[in-house]
Amino acid sequence: MNLPNAISIGRIAACPVIFHLTLASGTTSRYAAFFLFLAAAFSDLWDGYLARKYGWITDVGKLLDPAADKLLLASTFIPIYIVTRRPDELDALPWWGTMPLWVMVVVFGREIFVTLFRGYAARRGVVIPAGKSGKYKAFVQNLFVGGLLLWYPVLLSATERGWSGAFWGIWRPFHTAWIGATLALAVALTVFSMADYLWRYRALVTGGG
């Protein structure tokens, strides 16, 4: 056990709390969901930095880090999918309305496929590390999730307190555009990153070395 692995375990432990807070309807709980997600997302960068800088890369860490990332993805996208199907219009997904089922299929289908493909490659003696396209995909997914988890409590606060004025008039369309655009880009990068894996390791797909 070292510090990066402890951080990964902490991120795993935070996932069910984030799941629960994301489903909550109160303003306080939703702000808490955003800040806890923010801490979890930054911890992913921090533990990787520490492991590389101090040589604390371990076999346990190679298992814990991707597991924590996938759990964090599930603990946000699944409750978001549920929340956007509630009848309250404040729970709608900006630009999209409800989270489309096909988006969930693409996002989680990619994770399942890449996991199985890595296992297949490992049996062939090939280790497939995380590629740049996958990292970009994860980064944009976090931009979307973070933006949406902040949007919900901000919108509730604006509704309850009757916010108006130039600042809110500028901020609201900017924030909604951020959410809509980052989700679209995340879906595109999800598909691209899977195609990138297949292309870079096409010899495995075709049965070569």
Side-chain angles (χ1 to χ4, degrees):
M1 179 59 66
N2 55 32
L3 183 55
N5 291 349
I7 294 172
S8 294
I9 291 174
R11 190 159 70 255
I12 291 172
C15 286
V17 182
I18 294 173
F19 188 101
H20 172 74
L21 291 173
T22 303
L23 286 174
S25 56
T27 305
T28 302
S29 295
R30 288 187 163 184
Y31 274 118
F34 166 71
F35 286 113
L36 187 56
F37 169 79
L38 202 63
F42 275 109
S43 75
D44 185 28
L45 300 175
W46 188 31
D47 64 10
Y49 167 76
L50 291 174
R52 290 187 298 270
K53 181 176 181 180
Y54 296 105
W56 291 338
I57 299 174
T58 65
D59 290 337
V60 173
K62 292 177 182 178
L63 294 174
L64 284 176
D65 189 61
D69 293 342
K70 287 177 174 55
L71 283 173
L72 185 60
L73 180 70
S75 67
T76 51
F77 267 77
I78 292 174
I80 285 172
Y81 178 82
I82 296 170
V83 167
T84 61
R85 276 161 170 72
R86 290 173 178 170
D88 192 339
E89 63 179 12
L90 297 180
D91 290 327
L93 191 62
W95 283 24
W96 296 72
T98 59
M99 173 73 84
L101 178 60
W102 66 264
V103 170
M104 301 291 286
V105 171
V106 168
V107 169
F108 287 100
R110 184 266 183 199
E111 298 302 324
I112 293 171
F113 172 80
V114 170
T115 299
L116 294 176
F117 188 57
R118 279 179 170 152
Y120 167 74
R123 290 193 296 272
R124 300 286 300 275
V126 178
V127 176
I128 300 180
K132 287 186 177 180
S133 61
K135 293 178 181 178
Y136 293 149
K137 177 268 304 178
F139 177 70
V140 177
Q141 283 178 344
N142 285 341
L143 290 180
F144 159 70
V145 172
L148 184 61
L149 292 184
L150 178 60
W151 169 251
Y152 280 141
V154 166
L155 183 60
L156 280 173
S157 297
T159 303
E160 292 169 355
R161 301 175 185 179
W163 289 357
S164 60
F167 179 78
W168 179 240
I170 295 173
W171 181 261
R172 179 167 185 163
F174 166 77
H175 202 149
T176 56
W178 173 286
I179 294 167
T182 52
L183 178 56
L185 183 57
V187 172
L189 286 174
T190 297
V191 175
F192 174 77
S193 66
M194 184 170 68
D196 182 45
Y197 275 112
L198 289 174
W199 176 253
R200 287 192 292 117
Y201 297 95
R202 57 191 179 277
L204 288 171
V205 178
T206 57

